[in-house]
Amino acid sequence: MSLSDLPAAGSASPATAEPVRPVRAAWTTGVVLVNVGINAAFFGPLQVLLGQQAAVFDEGQKEAILALVTGAGAAVSVVANPLSGALSDRTAARRGRRVPWVVFGAVLGAAALVALAGAPNVAVMALLWCLVQAGCNAAYAAITAAIPDRVPVAQRGTVGGLAAMGQTVGILLGAVIAAVVAGHFGLGYVLCAAVLLAGVVLYYRRNDDVALPPGERPPFALAAFLRSFWVSPARYPDFAWAWLTRLLVNIGNHMITLYLLFFLTDAVRLRETQGIEAEFGVLILTGLYAVMVIITSVIGGRLSDRMGRRKPLVIIASAVIAGAALVLAFDPTWPGALVGASVLGIGFGAYLAVDFALITQVLPMALSRGKDLGVINIANSLPQVLAPLIAYPFVALWGGYVSLYVAAAVIGLLGAVFVVKIKGVD
């Protein structure tokens, strides 16, 4: 089925109707900036700051502490994202269904980041990172659902690509913050919090959200509400395959990036071989990755809109991501890391843009876009739980970084293979 073949969904409310009018530049810019703030708040800590804080608590157990903290936070995100999306579907606020959750999530996440700067022990560190994940996932669930709420199908590749660009700029900004603070992780957390709050301002002021009439909000029954989070693979097979492929590709991607700081320190031995601090090496690699993601997300999204096809580009992008893992596995040098980061960015940029557009075309119902995208986003957050559990034994017991990156490539390639199972989208 091509984009032109997709039927418009009927709806009793403008809040849940299939959008037909192209979105304004100011609205799209607001969505991009929210993504910048959320991803700076996520990835500044994930890439460097949490690792530095873990090393302060116990240098000899830094990998285990980092795995514990990030795994706990990701477990929270698995629940927070679909729950926030489902609650935003039911929100009948005057400013719309999504805006209150974007603002609430940003405030909660920023407050927890500031508190994280003064965490006295690993337990408090883990608790506060869980609150960061809860807040940022609430905001992310809402801003993600806003795209199919307001963007016509034929424009979603382009807008999805711009949103992916915002995510990447946020990742780069988080890395810049971590590098600039030069080991003072507490200051890094505070700066990430400031970026998160600043990112929601334009969207709050210039959003196009349509309020859901209170009379059209479904009656609440706890049992039915909880059952709604199960999206039957038998009834919605395309949705199920889209979820599985995203899960596999993201597991592979997280396995590649999780121990990047330690990979540069212990495998590449960047300081000894190149005279470059590992934290600055992370910034360089993230910059290369970011440039490639920005280019390919925008190009890939627009190309898929013009082609009216999503699956071929998703498959190619997934295979390119796997190729990046193999580069790191078999060339653990600084030049190899530079090539691997560039290839990873090329693949992941196109993947983010085009796969998101594909997913919006397999959502079961317009009334539950936030909840259903939240279920999809479990495939983004669950890898943060699974990847550390899978990756740690490879690094510590089963051959180190070579075996880790080969495993990441295999998992990512499975994601590419299963895309062909999606039948309702070309």
Side-chain angles (χ1 to χ4, degrees), residues 12-272:
S13 169
T16 57
E18 187 69 32
V20 295
R21 187 174 62 185
V23 291
R24 297 177 301 132
W27 183 89
T28 303
T29 303
V31 171
V32 170
L33 291 177
V34 172
N35 277 283
V36 170
I38 291 171
N39 283 274
F42 270 144
F43 288 99
L46 281 171
Q47 287 179 319
V48 174
L49 301 178
L50 289 171
Q52 291 176 338
Q53 193 169 17
V56 167
F57 285 127
D58 190 335
E59 173 69 26
Q61 295 295 319
K62 60 187 179 183
E63 293 93 347
I65 293 172
L66 181 61
L68 171 67
V69 172
T70 56
V76 169
S77 74
V78 168
V79 176
N81 201 297
L83 179 62
S84 299
L87 293 174
S88 73
D89 286 335
R90 302 177 56 85
T91 297
R94 179 177 58 85
R95 294 192 67 91
R97 296 190 294 171
R98 313 304 179 189
V99 173
W101 290 91
V102 170
V103 174
F104 163 75
V107 171
L108 174 61
L113 279 168
V114 172
L116 187 60
N121 53 50
V122 173
V124 175
M125 176 186 174
L127 174 62
L128 290 170
W129 180 245
C130 287
L131 290 177
V132 174
Q133 286 276 9
C136 288
N137 273 278
Y140 184 67
I143 201 66
T144 302
I147 294 176
D149 279 352
R150 304 264 48 91
V151 181
V153 168
Q155 197 182 9
R156 284 182 196 166
T158 299
V159 175
L162 292 171
M165 179 190 72
Q167 293 171 18
T168 306
V169 171
I171 293 170
L172 178 60
L173 184 56
V176 169
I177 290 171
V180 167
V181 300
H184 298 285
F185 57 82
L187 176 59
Y189 287 137
V190 172
L191 292 176
C192 287
V195 172
L196 175 59
L197 292 175
V200 306
V201 173
L202 179 62
Y203 182 75
Y204 177 78
R205 294 174 60 88
R206 301 294 298 274
N207 70 87
D208 284 338
D209 281 7
V210 178
L212 179 71
E216 295 185 10
R217 181 170 55 189
F220 181 80
L222 181 59
F225 179 75
L226 295 177
R227 285 196 302 269
S228 72
F229 290 97
W230 171 251
V231 182
S232 170
R235 188 174 180 184
Y236 302 106
D238 283 351
F239 183 89
W241 285 116
W243 188 92
L244 179 61
T245 58
R246 175 160 282 217
L247 176 75
L248 292 171
V249 171
N250 276 293
I251 288 175
N253 187 65
H254 280 290
M255 288 174 66
I256 295 170
T257 61
L258 176 64
Y259 289 132
L260 183 58
L261 178 65
F262 303 147
F263 173 71
L264 294 179
T265 301
D266 302 330
V268 175
R269 301 182 65 83
L270 188 60
R271 184 176 184 181
E272 293 84 351

Side-chain angles (χ1 to χ4, degrees), residues 157-421:
T158 299
V159 175
L162 292 171
M165 179 190 72
Q167 293 171 18
T168 306
V169 171
I171 293 170
L172 178 60
L173 184 56
V176 169
I177 290 171
V180 167
V181 300
H184 298 285
F185 57 82
L187 176 59
Y189 287 137
V190 172
L191 292 176
C192 287
V195 172
L196 175 59
L197 292 175
V200 306
V201 173
L202 179 62
Y203 182 75
Y204 177 78
R205 294 174 60 88
R206 301 294 298 274
N207 70 87
D208 284 338
D209 281 7
V210 178
L212 179 71
E216 295 185 10
R217 181 170 55 189
F220 181 80
L222 181 59
F225 179 75
L226 295 177
R227 285 196 302 269
S228 72
F229 290 97
W230 171 251
V231 182
S232 170
R235 188 174 180 184
Y236 302 106
D238 283 351
F239 183 89
W241 285 116
W243 188 92
L244 179 61
T245 58
R246 175 160 282 217
L247 176 75
L248 292 171
V249 171
N250 276 293
I251 288 175
N253 187 65
H254 280 290
M255 288 174 66
I256 295 170
T257 61
L258 176 64
Y259 289 132
L260 183 58
L261 178 65
F262 303 147
F263 173 71
L264 294 179
T265 301
D266 302 330
V268 175
R269 301 182 65 83
L270 188 60
R271 184 176 184 181
E272 293 84 351
T273 60
Q274 304 292 328
I276 301 172
E277 294 294 333
E279 290 82 0
F280 189 63
V282 171
L283 176 60
I284 294 172
L285 296 183
T286 304
L288 280 174
Y289 167 90
V291 169
M292 296 304 175
V293 168
I294 289 170
I295 293 171
T296 58
S297 61
V298 174
I299 293 175
R302 290 180 177 175
L303 179 61
S304 72
D305 282 345
R306 292 180 180 178
M307 291 171 57
R309 303 186 70 192
R310 313 293 192 196
K311 285 164 55 178
L313 292 177
V314 171
I315 292 169
I316 292 170
S318 301
V320 171
I321 293 169
L326 295 177
V327 171
L328 295 176
F330 296 110
D331 190 10
T333 64
W334 180 232
L338 294 171
V339 173
S342 300
V343 174
L344 182 64
I346 290 169
F348 205 60
Y351 180 84
L352 285 173
V354 184
D355 190 63
F356 176 78
L358 182 153
I359 285 168
T360 64
Q361 294 177 235
V362 299
L363 297 178
M365 289 182 291
L367 185 62
S368 59
R369 288 180 183 127
K371 183 266 294 179
D372 294 330
L373 281 170
V375 172
I376 287 288
N377 282 331
I378 292 174
N380 296 332
S381 53
L382 187 58
Q384 297 177 47
V385 179
L386 298 178
L389 297 176
I390 298 170
Y392 179 71
F394 281 101
V395 173
L397 304 172
W398 300 337
Y401 291 102
V402 173
S403 60
L404 170 68
Y405 291 134
V406 170
V410 171
I411 292 171
L413 285 173
L414 287 174
V417 169
F418 290 140
V419 171
V420 301
K421 296 287 189 178

